[in-house]
Amino acid sequence: MRKKSVRRLFLACFVLLPLQYALVGVVGLHTGGEPWPALVLPAFQAPDTDEAGALLETQPVLAATFADGEKTRVPVEALLAGLPASHHGAFFAEQCRPAALSGTPTTERCRHPAARRWLRERLAARYPGEAAPRRLDIVWVQLRHAPGGPAPRRTALDTLSLTFGSPRCR
């Protein structure tokens, strides 16, 4: 290829890739999703840190209460078995994060009856010997990893509680 052709190709990519990204955003707003696979790279965001330079990580901790009063901690991996592990945090952040933490009620989608029913069925399948699940608490905790320090320090931030009535989760 000639030098002039390479420059034109570079210029075309330089203009067309941002246009494609913008088009995907505009179409996605109207359709609710991406219309075709696009070249969108991760943001590579810097981790959250505090003033001392410690890394801050927010994650959900699940606790189920059954009809007989038994309480148990539920591993996120067990409840979302079948989904790639890399999606677990994003699932809970988008579906089951309290509005007080996210700033919007749209992250409390797991309060909808169909979502509660699905979560109840997942719990019942995971713990078949237990009584029926009656409640699931999604406790959001912040882990503070100090450089060269001891084990991470946990701080509870907020809790999203889901109650399950009958098997139909009215």
Side-chain angles (χ1 to χ4, degrees), residues 20-157:
Q20 174 196 359
Y21 188 75
L23 182 61
V24 167
V26 169
V27 171
L29 284 176
H30 296 296
T31 64
E34 187 175 312
W36 64 86
L39 178 62
V40 179
L41 299 175
F44 298 111
Q45 296 172 333
D48 290 335
T49 58
D50 64 10
E51 60 281 345
L55 295 175
L56 303 175
E57 177 186 2
T58 305
Q59 61 182 221
V61 175
L62 310 178
T65 304
F66 296 91
D68 61 2
E70 178 76 23
K71 293 182 181 184
T72 187
R73 185 165 183 245
V74 179
V76 170
E77 302 79 28
L79 191 65
L80 298 181
L83 267 90
S86 61
H87 295 175
H88 293 173
F91 171 84
F92 278 101
E94 291 296 320
Q95 304 296 323
C96 303
R97 192 186 235 347
L101 289 179
S102 66
T104 176
T106 61
T107 58
E108 293 186 357
R109 292 182 188 101
C110 60
R111 287 192 186 275
H112 297 303
R116 285 186 314 167
R117 196 170 23 259
W118 183 82
L119 288 167
R120 182 185 188 284
E121 289 169 3
R122 298 289 292 210
L123 283 170
R126 171 76 174 129
Y127 299 98
E130 296 285 340
R134 291 292 180 217
R135 180 182 172 119
L136 179 65
D137 291 321
I138 304 164
V139 182
W140 286 88
V141 297
Q142 183 179 66
L143 294 163
R144 183 181 185 273
H145 304 273
R153 189 178 75 214
R154 292 175 174 261
T155 305
L157 300 175

